[in-house]
């Protein structure tokens, strides 16, 4: 007899997105990347004023951060 093992996945795990509002652009980007996310920056080199999504997201997904000029 051969044994076959089947593993069913629900896809990548959802994890909490770190709160980076108010942080300097580069620091926020590093923190999000370290947590396993890709990052797209909109705005200038100032502090983060918002990020989206802000609750939970799949590991490897893109977080948009919006910064001051």
């Amino acid at each position: 007899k051969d044994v076959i093992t089947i593993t069913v996945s629900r896809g990548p795990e959802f994890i909490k997105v770190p709160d980076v509002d108010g942080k300097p652009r580069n620091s926020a980007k590093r923190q999000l990347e370290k947590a396993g996310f890709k990052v797209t920056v909109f705005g200038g080199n100032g502090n983060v004023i918002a990020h989206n999504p802000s609750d939970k997201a799949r590991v490897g997904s893109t977080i948009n951060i919006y910064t001051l000029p």
Side-chain angles (χ1 to χ4, degrees):
K1 275 185 169 178
D2 291 332
V3 175
I4 298 174
T5 303
I6 299 175
T7 303
V8 178
S9 171
R10 289 184 271 180
E13 175 185 8
F14 277 85
I15 62 170
K16 175 109 177 85
V17 176
D19 182 6
V20 294
D21 288 358
K23 295 190 176 185
R25 173 190 182 268
N26 291 338
S27 174
K29 188 172 184 291
R30 274 193 306 273
Q31 184 177 359
L32 291 166
E33 288 171 343
K34 186 176 179 182
F37 299 108
K38 298 173 188 163
V39 179
T40 301
V41 179
F42 296 93
N45 290 320
N47 287 359
V48 176
I49 56 173
H51 62 285
N52 184 29
S54 60
D55 185 28
K56 290 185 176 182
R58 290 188 190 272
V59 174
S61 63
T62 300
I63 307 299
N64 296 320
I65 61 175
Y66 303 89
T67 61
L68 294 170

